[in-house]
mmCIF file of all heavy atoms in Angstrom:
data_model
loop_
_atom_site.group_PDB
_atom_site.id
_atom_site.type_symbol
_atom_site.label_atom_id
_atom_site.label_comp_id
_atom_site.label_asym_id
_atom_site.label_seq_id
_atom_site.Cartn_x
_atom_site.Cartn_y
_atom_site.Cartn_z
ATOM 1 N N ALA C 292 -35.452 -43.031 -3.955
ATOM 2 C CA ALA C 292 -35.887 -41.630 -3.973
ATOM 3 C C ALA C 292 -37.145 -41.519 -4.817
ATOM 4 O O ALA C 292 -37.332 -42.267 -5.786
ATOM 5 C CB ALA C 292 -34.784 -40.755 -4.562
ATOM 6 N N GLU C 293 -38.007 -40.577 -4.455
ATOM 7 C CA GLU C 293 -39.251 -40.408 -5.197
ATOM 8 C C GLU C 293 -39.062 -39.390 -6.313
ATOM 9 O O GLU C 293 -38.497 -38.317 -6.106
ATOM 10 C CB GLU C 293 -40.354 -39.923 -4.240
ATOM 11 C CG GLU C 293 -41.709 -39.791 -4.920
ATOM 12 C CD GLU C 293 -42.681 -38.919 -4.120
ATOM 13 O OE1 GLU C 293 -42.348 -38.591 -2.954
ATOM 14 O OE2 GLU C 293 -43.738 -38.565 -4.650
ATOM 15 N N VAL C 294 -39.568 -39.731 -7.475
ATOM 16 C CA VAL C 294 -39.453 -38.816 -8.612
ATOM 17 C C VAL C 294 -40.537 -37.748 -8.517
ATOM 18 O O VAL C 294 -41.725 -38.047 -8.386
ATOM 19 C CB VAL C 294 -39.599 -39.574 -9.946
ATOM 20 C CG1 VAL C 294 -39.617 -38.586 -11.109
ATOM 21 C CG2 VAL C 294 -38.469 -40.568 -10.092
ATOM 22 N N VAL C 295 -40.125 -36.508 -8.580
ATOM 23 C CA VAL C 295 -41.087 -35.408 -8.526
ATOM 24 C C VAL C 295 -41.429 -34.911 -9.928
ATOM 25 O O VAL C 295 -42.577 -34.666 -10.269
ATOM 26 C CB VAL C 295 -40.515 -34.240 -7.687
ATOM 27 C CG1 VAL C 295 -41.456 -33.052 -7.747
ATOM 28 C CG2 VAL C 295 -40.293 -34.686 -6.262
ATOM 29 N N ALA C 296 -40.398 -34.727 -10.760
ATOM 30 C CA ALA C 296 -40.650 -34.247 -12.114
ATOM 31 C C ALA C 296 -39.541 -34.708 -13.030
ATOM 32 O O ALA C 296 -38.466 -35.099 -12.569
ATOM 33 C CB ALA C 296 -40.715 -32.718 -12.129
ATOM 34 N N VAL C 297 -39.832 -34.674 -14.326
ATOM 35 C CA VAL C 297 -38.829 -35.062 -15.318
ATOM 36 C C VAL C 297 -38.737 -33.938 -16.342
ATOM 37 O O VAL C 297 -39.748 -33.514 -16.897
ATOM 38 C CB VAL C 297 -39.248 -36.378 -16.016
ATOM 39 C CG1 VAL C 297 -38.286 -36.684 -17.148
ATOM 40 C CG2 VAL C 297 -39.270 -37.511 -15.002
ATOM 41 N N GLU C 298 -37.524 -33.400 -16.558
ATOM 42 C CA GLU C 298 -37.352 -32.310 -17.521
ATOM 43 C C GLU C 298 -36.539 -32.795 -18.713
ATOM 44 O O GLU C 298 -35.318 -32.928 -18.623
ATOM 45 C CB GLU C 298 -36.613 -31.132 -16.869
ATOM 46 C CG GLU C 298 -37.285 -30.564 -15.627
ATOM 47 C CD GLU C 298 -36.381 -29.574 -14.897
ATOM 48 O OE1 GLU C 298 -35.773 -28.715 -15.565
ATOM 49 O OE2 GLU C 298 -36.256 -29.679 -13.666
ATOM 50 N N PRO C 299 -37.196 -33.053 -19.833
ATOM 51 C CA PRO C 299 -36.433 -33.500 -21.012
ATOM 52 C C PRO C 299 -35.812 -32.312 -21.721
ATOM 53 O O PRO C 299 -36.518 -31.390 -22.127
ATOM 54 C CB PRO C 299 -37.517 -34.162 -21.888
ATOM 55 C CG PRO C 299 -38.817 -33.602 -21.421
ATOM 56 C CD PRO C 299 -38.628 -32.986 -20.080
ATOM 57 N N LEU C 300 -34.485 -32.326 -21.841
ATOM 58 C CA LEU C 300 -33.827 -31.184 -22.465
ATOM 59 C C LEU C 300 -33.289 -31.517 -23.848
ATOM 60 O O LEU C 300 -32.496 -30.782 -24.409
ATOM 61 C CB LEU C 300 -32.679 -30.689 -21.575
ATOM 62 C CG LEU C 300 -33.093 -30.165 -20.203
ATOM 63 C CD1 LEU C 300 -31.873 -29.700 -19.432
ATOM 64 C CD2 LEU C 300 -34.070 -29.013 -20.342
ATOM 65 N N GLY C 301 -33.666 -32.651 -24.372
ATOM 66 C CA GLY C 301 -33.204 -33.017 -25.710
ATOM 67 C C GLY C 301 -31.961 -33.873 -25.633
ATOM 68 O O GLY C 301 -32.003 -35.064 -25.892
ATOM 69 N N SER C 302 -30.836 -33.243 -25.252
ATOM 70 C CA SER C 302 -29.584 -34.000 -25.219
ATOM 71 C C SER C 302 -29.435 -34.759 -23.911
ATOM 72 O O SER C 302 -28.609 -35.644 -23.784
ATOM 73 C CB SER C 302 -28.404 -33.040 -25.372
ATOM 74 O OG SER C 302 -28.490 -32.044 -24.367
ATOM 75 N N GLU C 303 -30.235 -34.417 -22.927
ATOM 76 C CA GLU C 303 -30.191 -35.106 -21.648
ATOM 77 C C GLU C 303 -31.528 -34.911 -20.965
ATOM 78 O O GLU C 303 -32.412 -34.203 -21.464
ATOM 79 C CB GLU C 303 -29.065 -34.541 -20.787
ATOM 80 C CG GLU C 303 -29.286 -33.074 -20.474
ATOM 81 C CD GLU C 303 -28.131 -32.452 -19.723
ATOM 82 O OE1 GLU C 303 -27.112 -33.129 -19.510
ATOM 83 O OE2 GLU C 303 -28.267 -31.284 -19.338
ATOM 84 N N VAL C 304 -31.641 -35.541 -19.802
ATOM 85 C CA VAL C 304 -32.878 -35.426 -19.027
ATOM 86 C C VAL C 304 -32.508 -35.045 -17.612
ATOM 87 O O VAL C 304 -31.577 -35.589 -17.036
ATOM 88 C CB VAL C 304 -33.636 -36.773 -19.052
ATOM 89 C CG1 VAL C 304 -34.527 -36.917 -17.845
ATOM 90 C CG2 VAL C 304 -34.440 -36.886 -20.324
ATOM 91 N N ILE C 305 -33.220 -34.075 -17.042
ATOM 92 C CA ILE C 305 -32.992 -33.739 -15.631
ATOM 93 C C ILE C 305 -34.148 -34.341 -14.847
ATOM 94 O O ILE C 305 -35.309 -34.063 -15.123
ATOM 95 C CB ILE C 305 -32.982 -32.223 -15.400
ATOM 96 C CG1 ILE C 305 -31.988 -31.542 -16.319
ATOM 97 C CG2 ILE C 305 -32.705 -31.914 -13.935
ATOM 98 C CD1 ILE C 305 -30.556 -31.678 -15.909
ATOM 99 N N VAL C 306 -33.809 -35.191 -13.902
ATOM 100 C CA VAL C 306 -34.844 -35.820 -13.086
ATOM 101 C C VAL C 306 -34.826 -35.155 -11.712
ATOM 102 O O VAL C 306 -33.799 -35.146 -11.024
ATOM 103 C CB VAL C 306 -34.585 -37.333 -12.944
ATOM 104 C CG1 VAL C 306 -35.686 -37.960 -12.117
ATOM 105 C CG2 VAL C 306 -34.501 -37.969 -14.316
#
Side-chain angles (χ1 to χ4, degrees):
Chain C
E293 183 198 350
V294 174
V295 174
V297 174
E298 302 170 45
L300 297 180
S302 55
E303 62 185 4
V304 155
I305 306 283
V306 181

